[in-house]
Amino acid sequence: MIQKQNIIIVKNLVKKFGIFVANDHLNFEVREGEIFGFLGANGAGKTTAMRIICGLSLPTSGEIKVAGFDIYKEREKIKRNIGYMSQKFSLYPNLTIRENINFFGGIYGLSRTEIKTRTTNLLEKLQFTHAANKLIREIPLGWMQKLAFSIAILHKPKIAFLDEPTGGVDPITRRQFWEMIYEAAEQGITIFVTTHYMDEAEYCDRVSIMVDGRIEALDSPAKLKEKYAAESMNDVFLKLARIQLHESV
Amino acid sequence: MNRFRGFVIKEFFHIWRDPRTLLILVGIPVAQIMIFGFVISNDIKDLHIAVYDQSQDEVSREITNKIISSGYFILDQSIDHPSQIEESFKKGIVREVIVFGQDFGENLERLGVADLQIIADASDANTANLITNYTQAIINDYLKKLNATHQIPLKIETQVRMLFNEEMKGVYMFVPGTMALILMLISTMMTSISIAREKEFGTMEVLLVSPLKPVQIIIGKVAPYVALAFLDAVLILLMGVYVFKMPVLGSSTLLLLTALLYILMALSLGILISTIVKTQQVAMFISLIGLLLPTMLLSGFIFPIENMPLILQWVANILPFKYFIIMIKDIMLKGVGVAYIWKEGLVLLGFTLLFIALSVKKFKLRLE
Amino acid sequence: METQNQIAVKVGQLSRSYGKVKALDLLSFQIVKGELFGFIGPDGAGKTTLFRIIASLLLPDVGSVKVGDFDTVKDFKEIRKITGYMPGRFSLYHDLTVEENLNFYASIFGTSLEENYELIKDIYSAIEPFKKRRAGKLSGGMKQKLALSCALIHKPEILILDEPTTGVDAVSRVEFWDMLKHLKTMGITILVSTPYMDEASLCDRVALMQKGKILTIDKPESITANFKKEIRAVRSDNIYQLIIDLREYRHTESVHPFGQDVHFIEKGGISTTATELTDYLHQKGHHHIHIQNINAGIEDCFMDLMKEE
């Protein structure tokens, strides 16, 4: 196998809020083109870490490089090379599909002609051409999620950050979504997914599991299941979290 | 009863724990009264007055001297013809003219009563009111000393005339106005927001599936606000009376009852709004844009209704605020009793019943 | 024997629309007293609408709903006394403490925390150490426990829980289902909705729902056992290419990624041997090919039923 380069390098990332340590010496790398699952319970520190890696907030200490850029000095360059999608906020409900695409294409600095051709391609691929002028709030949740993801990678970023992307959709739509992620990864986009849905972890190449601000495990789902003698990632997670629970009591 | 108590306690918790609510409850009334109160100047010093002394006797001169030596007033000119009175005002320097009737001292001595007229430039209504009050106080003081040596108390009949603004529009309008505004804010906005919040957080669903009757839910929600709004009404009145020396000529009980009626009207409006809206944001928007602005602009609080275009006058007439302000003003400044304000009271009551009827019709036992 | 089972909830020909959208489309089913019954489906399946109607919060357009002997339209007052309802967003007052929330809900049902402490003891004990904490500052799992305690405070006969495990982490989810099992032993009928297919196996019976319709209703093990198609789990070193290639294969009925596997169903049952399939995939350039016949899970059934609709 060809040794792929590390596109995200995190060394000794620490983030403190007062005396509360949200991220306690995180160390990990994400390889170019892989689907990396960043798992943890609510409040384990996933979101905090992801915000730092995206360049939205600064760590207390640590060395972080994203797409070859330094998190302290080159945040603007980092932002230009990443795409972001979250379930909570992604698209403007009062704009149409087309207007949303135009808007987000615009803020990522795509030219008008580029936006135009990419919009046409995107609408065709998602089979939304007939609905391009529908408002986002009128379309089903599944469509919204697919569209949000497509928009997040419209400017062909090196890394796409997905913050709990697929909640509440039916199993078929959910799988279509994951196929889109596979496709993006195939094209060389690195996917960084945070989630606390353990079944989503099964789709990732490698996953890290955070418990109480620390990364307790990092490997491929298959190897983790083997290591913890578990049937699913859910079991792996439960075992890890329970150990932690006993320690803390 | 236990259910009701639990409800009210919970509602008070919401209020105490939300700094914004507390700010609205206490901060806004105080700030507003202060702002309105101080913008209207109440500092009296070296105001120019004129004296038209028709009797020119010892007593009238003594009184004039006493007024001038008080430090508040400067004698600008002496007048010897009635036609000069208005003239002196029009120059803009003289703010008050004191007119002693003929045989002033003699009348006082012989009949025990004398006439005195105080004419003030009421284009600045607040100042005019203060000047005349000061002048009267000085005269009364003089009289008191005089009476110490007399067996039968002497009387000076002072007649106050406000020139250029006979009805004293604008005087102390800020107290009734602020009351109308603040009580509306608390009663309407806060209740509608607090009910909308229950809808937004999904807690209304649980309240609805509980054995509570809708009436119980509503009363439980608004009861604390009745109490708080009433306290605010008292706070505003106390500030008006003690900080800004506003007179309360009529019955305080009647005044408070009027405030209570207005609060109930505003609450039922708040309930009506909350039955229509689903989110706090919309409740706030309707309360502010739909109610606060009309209260300020169309109640006669800032702009006299008589000077408005006819169409706005009609609008003002179908809004409840105007009636409350009329009632409060008449009780406080004119000292009238129920006989004079019952019509306005009925209008407010009518509004209250209308809003309640609509709310009952709109309030759903279920969701939509 | 069956006739002895008392019916806790009976729904007949129930429909409900919001404007043009049919939220519920002619549902009929019965829930037996003491059952732990799951409604499973994605957002927009109609779960919340159904629960609101059963809780007498919404009126049906057509059809009848009975809770015990009470009609949800006529006897809603009676129903409100015997049901405990926990809406989707954990209806708690965020500015009140844990204890204050409980006391409030107890008071509006005319009871007190002390009176029914036994019933909620197991659930409440986990959050009791934090009883002075405001509900808004609790973790998702603790909020969920508090909301359940609040729904139980008046000793309901029927508990209606709308998506209680959504947005809650895996550990809390497991704990929550343990609590439900415990409540079931106390004879409480429990209706629970969830978007998580894997929670189906924890219910006595489930209704799989999609777009206002019930796809099927049965014991979870019967649903999977009744799945007649044969499924193969296929794996290779390139999952994305594997999906594409399997779709192009002759006889393909469906191809769905399941984590690191791809579930592959052929039209009219298995017609190719594993070797044939392996050869085909080799030809397409796949390595580390692994093929295994597997039993259907609830999710396989759900997707299959969705397609039939």
Side-chain angles (χ1 to χ4, degrees):
Chain A
M1 263 179 88
I2 314 152
Q3 188 58 49
K4 289 199 170 163
Q5 275 191 308
N6 290 328
I7 195 155
I8 299 176
I9 302 164
V10 176
K11 279 185 193 159
N12 286 316
L13 163 58
V14 176
K15 178 76 179 184
K16 290 181 187 166
F17 296 101
I19 53 157
F20 173 68
V21 183
N23 295 147
D24 186 2
H25 292 90
L26 304 188
N27 280 292
F28 64 93
E29 286 96 36
V30 177
R31 294 170 199 153
E32 199 170 352
E34 80 172 335
I35 301 173
F36 188 86
F38 199 58
L39 315 185
N42 314 346
K46 290 177 312 221
T47 311
T48 311
M50 199 189 72
R51 289 173 67 86
I52 291 169
I53 298 168
C54 288
L56 293 175
S57 70
L58 281 173
T60 310
S61 67
E63 211 178 295
I64 297 129
K65 283 206 160 162
V66 177
F69 300 113
D70 185 86
I71 197 83
Y72 296 98
K73 293 177 213 144
E74 298 165 305
R75 280 158 86 179
E76 290 314 309
K77 283 184 189 155
I78 290 176
K79 285 183 190 170
R80 237 169 279 147
N81 282 289
I82 61 171
Y84 177 83
M85 170 201 172
S86 116
Q87 199 194 348
K88 283 163 216 139
F89 165 78
S90 37
L91 303 171
Y92 291 99
N94 289 329
L95 296 185
T96 64
I97 293 182
R98 193 189 296 281
E99 286 160 354
N100 267 286
I101 301 174
N102 285 341
F103 173 74
F104 284 103
I107 62 170
Y108 277 107
L110 296 183
S111 73
R112 274 192 191 185
T113 44
E114 262 178 322
I115 292 178
K116 216 172 179 186
T117 51
R118 287 190 199 183
T119 305
T120 316
N121 293 343
L122 195 158
L123 289 173
E124 260 171 36
K125 206 180 103 195
L126 293 173
Q127 299 174 330
F128 286 172
T129 311
H130 62 287
N133 295 323
K134 268 198 176 180
L135 295 179
I136 293 298
R137 60 180 155 86
E138 291 169 343
I139 68 174
L141 180 66
W143 287 32
M144 224 159 83
Q145 292 180 353
K146 287 186 209 168
L147 184 65
F149 177 68
S150 306
I151 287 176
I153 59 167
L154 189 69
H155 59 296
K156 302 196 172 130
K158 290 193 178 137
I159 312 165
F161 289 91
L162 313 179
D163 192 8
E164 297 183 2
T166 66
V169 293
D170 68 73
I172 292 183
T173 310
R174 188 179 174 82
R175 282 177 173 73
Q176 290 167 348
F177 187 83
W178 273 98
E179 282 176 37
M180 288 176 63
I181 292 178
Y182 285 143
E183 193 191 343
E186 194 71 13
Q187 291 165 1
I189 297 176
T190 308
I191 309 285
F192 187 100
V193 201
T194 76
T195 180
H196 62 257
Y197 301 127
M198 290 307 137
D199 51 342
E200 286 195 332
E202 312 265 359
Y203 293 89
C204 301
D205 294 326
R206 290 194 309 148
V207 298
S208 73
I209 299 179
M210 268 186 93
V211 181
D212 282 342
R214 286 194 300 272
I215 292 184
E216 290 293 326
L218 196 166
D219 214 327
S220 71
K223 286 198 178 136
L224 285 174
K225 281 188 263 189
E226 205 181 297
K227 184 178 170 192
Y228 289 92
E231 271 193 17
S232 64
M233 282 306 293
N234 202 35
D235 293 338
V236 173
F237 181 78
L238 288 178
K239 282 186 178 169
L240 269 171
R242 287 232 166 105
I243 293 167
Q244 199 60 35
L245 220 61
H246 284 292
E247 279 175 1
S248 64
V249 164
Chain B
M1 207 52 215
N2 214 359
R3 289 178 186 175
F4 181 69
R5 223 189 65 198
F7 215 119
V8 173
I9 290 173
K10 170 210 138 215
E11 215 53 45
F12 270 113
F13 281 145
H14 287 322
I15 295 165
W16 290 156
R17 288 184 188 165
D18 184 11
R20 282 169 303 175
T21 312
L22 281 178
L23 189 73
I24 292 178
L25 280 174
V26 184
I28 292 186
V30 173
Q32 197 153 31
I33 288 280
M34 290 294 174
I35 290 166
F36 282 121
F38 285 116
V39 163
I40 300 166
S41 132
N42 64 347
D43 191 22
I44 296 208
K45 217 180 148 194
D46 299 341
L47 280 165
H48 289 250
I49 61 168
V51 173
Y52 175 27
D53 193 343
Q54 292 171 317
S55 65
Q56 300 277 356
D57 56 31
E58 199 183 327
V59 184
S60 69
R61 268 188 225 120
E62 236 173 276
I63 292 177
T64 309
N65 280 336
K66 202 168 162 59
I67 289 173
I68 290 158
S69 60
S70 70
Y72 299 120
F73 305 106
I74 289 173
L75 183 63
D76 192 78
Q77 61 181 126
S78 290
I79 292 169
D80 38 44
H81 196 269
S83 65
Q84 289 173 305
I85 294 175
E86 206 169 320
E87 214 174 291
S88 65
F89 278 125
K90 280 185 177 159
K91 282 182 197 148
I93 301 165
V94 168
R95 308 295 290 271
E96 182 185 57
V97 176
I98 299 165
V99 184
F100 292 93
Q102 278 178 353
D103 308 324
F104 186 82
E106 206 184 318
N107 283 348
L108 196 63
E109 191 72 21
R110 235 164 15 105
L111 306 172
V113 60
D115 287 336
L116 183 136
Q117 194 180 25
I118 302 168
I119 304 169
D121 173 1
S123 51
D124 175 357
N126 195 54
T127 313
N129 211 53
L130 280 167
I131 302 174
T132 54
N133 283 346
Y134 274 56
T135 315
Q136 274 175 308
I138 294 166
I139 293 165
N140 285 339
D141 189 53
Y142 171 80
L143 212 53
K144 224 190 225 166
K145 282 179 189 152
L146 209 62
N147 278 338
T149 56
H150 275 74
Q151 296 214 320
I152 310 152
L154 305 176
K155 262 172 78 185
I156 295 177
E157 300 245 307
T158 40
Q159 184 210 352
V160 176
R161 231 191 105 198
M162 296 295 178
L163 220 58
F164 309 118
N165 181 3
E166 306 244 340
E167 284 168 44
M168 294 290 287
K169 271 173 221 145
V171 186
Y172 295 136
M173 271 305 279
F174 65 94
V175 169
T178 309
M179 265 172 87
L181 208 64
I182 299 292
L183 298 186
M184 178 61 81
L185 200 69
I186 292 167
S187 313
T188 310
M189 190 166 89
M190 310 257 278
T191 42
S192 63
I193 285 178
S194 90
I195 295 177
R197 182 167 61 182
E198 302 250 4
K199 289 187 185 178
E200 224 172 285
F201 277 78
T203 44
M204 188 55 103
E205 280 182 58
V206 178
L207 296 184
L208 285 174
V209 296
S210 78
L212 287 175
K213 294 189 185 78
V215 174
Q216 288 175 309
I217 296 178
I218 287 185
I219 293 181
K221 288 237 53 129
V222 303
Y225 291 101
V226 177
L228 290 171
F230 194 70
L231 281 179
D232 257 344
V234 173
L235 174 72
I236 294 169
L237 283 175
L238 287 179
M239 285 209 299
V241 171
Y242 288 103
V243 183
F244 298 104
K245 313 286 179 228
M246 167 153 191
V248 178
L249 302 178
S251 136
S252 335
T253 319
L254 186 62
L255 194 61
L256 292 178
L257 281 176
T258 308
L260 194 62
L261 178 63
Y262 179 73
I263 289 168
L264 290 177
M265 187 281 300
L267 281 173
S268 45
L269 183 56
I271 294 166
L272 179 62
I273 291 174
S274 67
T275 58
I276 302 164
V277 303
K278 288 201 175 75
T279 62
Q280 300 179 66
Q281 216 184 349
V282 180
M284 175 110 108
F285 187 78
I286 293 183
S287 306
L288 282 179
I289 305 297
L291 296 172
L292 212 59
L293 283 182
T295 317
M296 287 189 60
L297 303 178
L298 295 177
S299 61
F301 165 28
I302 293 178
F303 308 112
I305 293 175
E306 291 83 343
N307 300 351
M308 289 178 193
L310 207 54
I311 187 152
L312 286 184
Q313 288 193 32
W314 288 337
V315 176
N317 282 339
I318 57 164
L319 293 175
F321 326 112
K322 171 186 157 182
Y323 302 97
F324 171 68
I325 288 191
I326 291 175
M327 288 171 80
I328 286 287
K329 220 174 74 179
D330 285 359
I331 297 170
M332 289 180 91
L333 301 176
K334 293 187 187 158
V336 303
V338 186
Y340 291 89
I341 52 164
W342 64 273
K343 275 188 217 149
E344 282 81 9
L346 270 187
V347 173
L348 281 188
L349 191 66
F351 274 114
T352 312
L353 295 177
L354 175 73
F355 293 147
I356 289 177
L358 285 175
S359 309
V360 168
K361 224 180 141 199
K362 281 260 166 196
F363 190 85
K364 304 250 173 22
L365 279 174
R366 304 167 199 267
L367 301 168
E368 271 164 61
Chain C
M1 287 299 280
E2 287 251 332
T3 48
Q4 284 183 345
N5 289 340
Q6 282 184 295
I7 301 301
V9 177
K10 187 177 178 182
V11 172
Q13 302 289 307
L14 171 66
S15 289
R16 167 78 201 207
S17 302
Y18 294 102
K20 282 180 192 165
V21 184
K22 267 204 167 168
L24 295 175
D25 194 2
L26 289 171
L27 300 192
S28 295
F29 60 87
Q30 294 184 358
I31 293 168
V32 177
K33 254 190 192 159
E35 242 187 326
L36 173 50
F37 196 100
F39 291 86
I40 296 174
D43 289 3
K47 303 183 300 277
T48 300
T49 307
L50 176 63
F51 277 15
R52 284 180 172 169
I53 290 176
I54 296 174
S56 82
L57 265 175
L58 264 182
L59 290 175
D61 293 340
V62 197
S64 73
V65 179
K66 277 195 158 188
V67 177
D69 294 326
F70 305 118
D71 185 275
T72 49
V73 181
K74 280 182 291 180
D75 315 314
F76 65 91
K77 280 184 189 151
E78 299 303 318
I79 288 178
R80 290 174 183 192
K81 283 179 199 153
I82 59 163
T83 50
Y85 171 56
M86 178 170 150
R89 291 160 300 157
F90 299 160
S91 86
L92 297 169
Y93 294 99
H94 286 193
D95 52 346
L96 300 192
T97 65
V98 168
E99 207 176 23
E100 285 160 1
N101 265 290
L102 266 175
N103 283 332
F104 172 67
Y105 281 118
S107 76
I108 61 170
F109 281 95
T111 177
S112 67
L113 177 54
E114 294 72 34
E115 213 170 301
N116 290 317
Y117 188 78
E118 269 312 296
L119 185 66
I120 61 162
K121 188 179 66 184
D122 291 325
I123 303 157
Y124 184 50
S125 59
I127 48 172
E128 207 168 2
F130 310 101
K131 63 183 181 187
K132 298 282 179 211
R133 195 182 284 187
R134 302 230 176 130
K137 302 229 156 133
L138 296 176
S139 71
M142 294 209 280
K143 273 186 197 154
Q144 177 199 41
K145 290 188 185 92
L146 176 58
L148 182 62
S149 303
C150 290
L152 280 168
I153 196 86
H154 59 291
K155 266 191 178 169
E157 292 169 31
I158 297 172
L159 201 50
I160 301 170
L161 311 172
D162 193 7
E163 298 209 8
T165 53
T166 299
V168 170
D169 65 61
V171 179
S172 300
R173 274 169 63 190
V174 173
E175 286 172 359
F176 193 79
W177 279 98
D178 286 343
M179 287 174 213
L180 294 190
K181 269 182 222 156
H182 180 69
L183 289 172
K184 189 180 126 72
T185 62
M186 297 166 137
I188 299 175
T189 310
I190 304 170
L191 281 64
V192 58
S193 70
T194 175
Y196 301 109
M197 303 279 155
D198 56 341
E199 290 179 348
S201 61
L202 303 166
C203 304
D204 294 333
R205 285 199 304 149
V206 295
L208 302 187
M209 290 183 76
Q210 163 83 1
K211 290 185 182 157
K213 285 187 179 155
I214 290 180
L215 301 174
T216 185
I217 192 163
D218 211 332
K219 290 178 189 153
E221 56 275 18
S222 309
I223 293 177
T224 48
N226 285 338
F227 191 76
K228 291 295 176 240
K229 291 167 188 169
E230 285 161 288
I231 304 175
R232 278 169 165 173
V234 185
R235 194 177 290 193
S236 88
D237 58 345
N238 185 335
I239 196 163
Y240 178 62
Q241 201 54 44
L242 182 65
I243 295 167
I244 294 172
D245 291 335
L246 281 175
R247 288 229 168 98
E248 284 170 355
Y249 192 58
R250 61 201 161 97
H251 311 311
T252 297
E253 182 176 312
S254 74
V255 176
H256 291 302
F258 265 77
Q260 299 298 306
D261 290 333
V262 174
H263 286 191
F264 171 63
I265 299 175
E266 282 182 275
K267 265 183 213 142
I270 291 182
S271 57
T272 25
T273 61
T275 335
E276 277 178 297
L277 191 59
T278 313
D279 286 346
Y280 167 74
L281 292 174
H282 262 304
Q283 240 175 43
K284 291 278 178 186
H286 290 273
H287 302 279
H288 308 289
I289 299 159
H290 187 267
I291 300 172
Q292 195 186 357
N293 287 8
I294 55 159
N295 294 325
I298 280 284
E299 226 169 338
D300 293 299
C301 302
F302 195 101
M303 289 194 283
D304 198 58
L305 289 163
M306 268 177 77
K307 280 185 190 150
E308 277 174 23
E309 278 295 313

